[in-house]
Amino acid sequence: MQRVTERGFDKEFKFRASRSSGKGGQHVNKVSTKVELVFNIPKSKVLDIDEKILLKERLRHKLSRTGDLRIVSEKFRSQFKNKKICIERFYRLMEKSLKRPQWRNPTEPTKASVEKRYKLKHSISEKKQNRKKIDLNRLSD
């Protein structure tokens, strides 16, 4: 299977730059260093239908109504570095979201584990029986 980074997602990226919040003094007020990567899943030509359905399901809390996935970075004062971080986050998210879970072969409990469970249940039951009050009238019968 082709790696996610080699599939050509970068052709479908849209970037927006805006002023970053936080520290920076006068510089932060005039330079747009915050980067937002926007990727529209329904309109993507790189993804097949099954992958689109899978991504919509797994990333539903991160998607807009139109199916846009937005990834924002304002960590650095450099627009270039923030753009690079957005791309890395996107590919990590795609790797994680498109990965199919490994099929688990169901097994039955071993004979020893079943016996161990029954012994534990029996000992707990016995412990509780010993806590009960003794009825002296029943003993004399």
Side-chain angles (χ1 to χ4, degrees):
M1 189 176 162
Q2 195 176 21
R3 292 194 67 216
V4 175
T5 52
E6 298 166 354
R7 292 179 63 178
F9 283 108
D10 50 344
K11 295 172 191 161
E12 298 181 359
F13 291 161
K14 289 179 186 164
F15 291 99
R16 278 192 215 132
S18 58
R19 291 190 195 129
S20 185
S21 63
K23 300 176 194 173
Q26 294 172 350
H27 182 70
V28 82
N29 297 329
K30 61 183 179 179
V31 180
S32 299
T33 56
K34 178 180 175 181
V35 175
E36 180 181 16
L37 182 149
V38 181
F39 179 77
N40 190 290
I41 291 175
K43 292 180 183 175
S44 175
K45 294 176 183 166
V46 178
L47 298 168
D48 62 29
I49 296 166
D50 294 333
E51 290 173 331
K52 288 178 185 180
I53 293 168
L54 188 68
L55 287 175
K56 273 188 177 180
E57 185 181 308
R58 290 186 178 171
L59 301 175
R60 66 183 168 273
H61 59 284
K62 294 185 182 211
L63 298 177
S64 67
R65 286 191 181 128
T66 57
D68 286 340
L69 173 66
R70 296 179 193 284
I71 298 174
V72 179
S73 176
E74 55 181 328
K75 187 176 181 178
F76 294 103
R77 291 188 188 180
S78 162
Q79 194 181 96
F80 178 75
K81 287 181 183 177
N82 285 330
K83 188 175 180 180
K84 195 174 176 183
I85 286 176
C86 283
I87 293 169
E88 286 172 9
R89 282 186 193 163
F90 173 83
Y91 282 122
R92 254 188 277 127
L93 188 65
M94 285 295 127
E95 285 275 352
K96 186 179 172 186
S97 300
L98 291 173
K99 189 176 183 182
R100 305 274 179 187
Q102 194 172 9
W103 187 76
R104 183 187 171 275
N105 190 10
T107 58
E108 295 196 11
T110 62
K111 195 173 184 180
S113 69
V114 171
E115 284 180 24
K116 184 179 175 183
R117 193 178 94 241
Y118 283 138
K119 281 182 184 177
L120 180 67
K121 283 176 76 132
H122 182 72
S123 69
I124 291 171
S125 170
E126 212 171 79
K127 189 193 306 179
K128 289 185 177 187
Q129 288 295 324
N130 292 335
R131 288 184 196 151
K132 285 185 177 180
K133 289 183 181 177
I134 300 171
D135 188 11
L136 297 175
N137 294 333
R138 293 187 90 193
L139 288 175
S140 61
D141 290 340

